[in-house]
Amino acid sequence: MEENAISGDDNTHWFHSNGIITSIDNSQKKICVDISQKNSFFDGTNITLNCNKSSLDITYLEAGQEITFYFFENNVLDTEVAIEKLNIVTP
């Protein structure tokens, strides 16, 4: 799955990607993910999702789940990305 814009211009639209959760750090609100399919945003397949946005609750997530996560392009920093939203693909 390639990244897709949801709406807006270069500074306001969300992109998304899928990955499998490998670990969760609830105290730091970060999730490590193996990207399901290589895309132009991430150099490798392992990235960290920064979930510090106050509306994100990651306490119900578990390693092994596939998720879709949404982000702004300017929030991608090498192997870490601050995300805006996430959805579980496989429970």
Side-chain angles (χ1 to χ4, degrees), residues 5-90:
I6 291 180
S7 64
D9 62 25
D10 285 344
N11 297 316
T12 61
H13 65 245
W14 289 358
F15 290 89
H16 75 268
S17 190
N18 283 31
I20 305 293
I21 297 172
T22 57
S23 66
I24 302 167
D25 183 342
N26 284 310
S27 64
Q28 297 290 316
K29 287 192 79 169
K30 294 189 178 188
I31 301 170
C32 291
V33 174
D34 277 335
I35 299 297
S36 299
Q37 190 170 23
K38 187 176 170 105
N39 59 51
S40 60
F41 290 109
F42 311 112
D43 291 334
T45 58
N46 298 314
I47 64 162
T48 300
L49 306 181
N50 180 330
C51 303
N52 282 315
K53 186 171 181 168
S54 61
S55 62
L56 290 171
D57 177 15
I58 64 170
T59 59
Y60 64 94
L61 298 173
E62 298 176 8
Q65 290 177 309
E66 182 177 4
I67 59 171
T68 301
F69 55 94
Y70 300 86
F71 56 94
F72 291 111
E73 183 174 8
N74 62 349
N75 287 338
V76 177
L77 303 169
D78 296 325
T79 60
E80 184 168 312
V81 59
I83 65 169
E84 300 297 317
K85 180 181 175 182
L86 64 84
N87 293 326
I88 298 173
V89 176
T90 56

